[in-house]
Amino acid sequence: MLTPAPMRFVTLSLLREDLVDAGLVLAEFAGFAPQGNEESKERLPEAVGEEYVRLFHSAHGRLTKIMRHLDLKPVDDDAGEHRALSKQELAELDQWLGEIWVQCSACEETSHGYQEQLAEVQQLDRALEIFQSLDVDLGLLQDERQFLHILPGTLPLQHINRLQEALSIIGYSLSQFSHKGNTAHVIVAGLMENRDKLDPLLRAAAFHSLDLPREFRDHPKKVGQELEQRRQKILTEKLHLQHKIDANREKYAEQLQAAAMRLVAGSSFVQFGGALRGRGNLAQITGWVPESKLDELHQRLEQVLPGHFLLQERKPAADERSQVPSDIPHGRLLRPFASLVKNYGTPRYGELDPTWLFALTFVAMFGMMFGDVGHGMLIILAGFLLKDKVRGIAPFMMLAGLSSTLFGFLYGSIFGYEHVLPALWISPLSDPMLMLKLAFAWGVGFILLATLITIRNNLVDRRFEEALFDNKGVAGMMLYLGMLFAGYRWISDGNFGWLEQTVLLLPLLAILVYKWRHIKAPFGERLLVVVIEGFESLMTYISNTLSFLRVAAFSLNHVALAVAVFTLADMMGTTGHWITVVLGNIFILVLEGGIVIIQVLRLEYFEGFSRFFRGDGREFRPMRLSSKQVFAQSRELR
């Protein structure tokens, strides 16, 4: 499919009491994207289902926390049978989950308390390590005494001797009991009456006092035993708590999984958002549906709500085309390329989907720039081996490798060897000028195709004047063709007469007039902008075309790197020769292969997409029943 699927704006009118059933139908249908509009808000001013949404978020939050606490993972069973969840059932489910959460939250708070207690014991253990070598009651180092002053602390090792001498003068002593690195752990003791003389000496020696925890009231060995007993008691209580949590998990697991599936069904109502309006007992849902799925939607609604609904549909209005979501399904081979396109943007409704053009030109240019049978087959092999681990990238790698292999046969290159395989076409280094001419021709064709797509997209969007006179429209294409014609005549015959001047000036004049009419500014500023944009139109076409010469440059670079590798290899012995060849090929495959991918992406994005692809469309996101989406938060918390 080259363009997004045709869409219809649908309005589903029904009774409020049938909304939950309708929501389940639309979510299982997976082809309805809700979207509100101003017309519905004016006719139906009431917001519907606010209480249901509140109950859903309350129940969802509680279930998420309970499952995280019990280490449960919601079962992914989106294909299973779902039953509509009424507001009354949702209220009862929310109440039940609230009761379960009361139990779980008590256990969780207790568990957090145990963790904090264990952390505290571990911190005390680290603090006790300093005093393990002391054979003294640590309580003596904490209590204030009438006559004796005892102070534990730390200071740099190099200051110990000097401090000892200074302390002896004022009647104090210093004892070192351990050290760590350049820091000594010491005890300073002396008479309380000399304390005022002590402080200046300690400051000068960079002494820092140690505060002993209040739990250290005995010999270090005895304190360590008490801490270990305390730790074992906490671990035992924590184990009992874990048994209780395990019992709750076993008791409630099945019911909680059922509740999760009920909430998945209830999420369909929540997904309506602002697309749901009402007045009195009447409700209305608006949104977008692919034209091809309208009949299926009507049949599904008829099965669940026979005769109880009214489904109206219309084509998108001209002024709302920018709001229409783009539904573009891609096959397995195109999906990795579609992801790269999505990095740039989403096609507008009605625009050509650039994925097919991107895939063809990307694969072709990669092969042109990295043509080698051996390297291409290694890329194919890597894609095949990684197909289960990187499913989205494997087709991309295998197609790029296939292109590289095919061009390798055309170039006669295998692992850099140019004389093992006969070239089916030409070796790049044998005729560089031909390679440059072909790259130039490729760029011309690429730019012309991109310009034609731009013209087509503008016509579809009813931008007729832009399609005709813009520098990316018909006038721009005629200017480009005129530049090519004039350049060819000048290079081949040295002729640049009135014909060449005419084919350049007429489209350029059309572009300048178009720019002049659409710029709102004073005369001088207007003139300056028009001249600059006219000059930019000329230079952009020239620079964009010359950018494609890199296609030839990298095909030549690939061969040149191989020549450099073999030159180094020939300077070594047999073993060194083959080691150099293998490492050189790995270097070429990884480094140059990565650079080629970057260069191809640059050509695609800047010389291609920037010309015709706005990328400001809205992706079609239909309502779905997805346990993965509903419980994404609980998985992140895990």
Side-chain angles (χ1 to χ4, degrees), residues 189 246 297:
D246 293 340
L297 175 59

Side-chain angles (χ1 to χ4, degrees), residues 351-352 354 356-357 361 442-460 463-464 466-484 507 511 537 540-542 544-545 548 603-604 606-614:
E351 275 189 339
L352 278 177
W356 60 274
L357 176 63
T361 54
W442 171 269
V444 169
F446 189 95
I447 291 172
L448 286 174
L449 180 58
T451 307
L452 285 171
I453 295 174
T454 305
I455 295 170
R456 182 262 172 203
N457 288 340
N458 284 330
L459 290 174
V460 169
R463 302 183 181 193
F464 301 117
E466 185 176 342
L468 291 174
F469 301 112
D470 189 59
N471 58 348
K472 295 178 183 178
V474 174
M477 186 170 67
M478 297 307 296
L479 174 64
Y480 184 50
L481 292 173
M483 291 167 59
L484 294 172
I511 293 171
S537 299
T540 298
Y541 275 113
I542 295 173
N544 286 352
T545 305
F548 282 89
L603 289 172
E604 294 284 357
F606 293 102
E607 312 334 323
F609 286 4
S610 64
R611 302 194 68 83
F612 70 88
F613 183 37
R614 294 187 180 90

Side-chain angles (χ1 to χ4, degrees), residues 266-287:
S267 70
S268 59
F269 188 98
V270 179
Q271 292 178 57
F272 286 144
L276 175 59
R277 308 296 298 179
R279 171 177 284 176
N281 200 34
L282 177 66
Q284 194 174 84
I285 309 161
T286 54

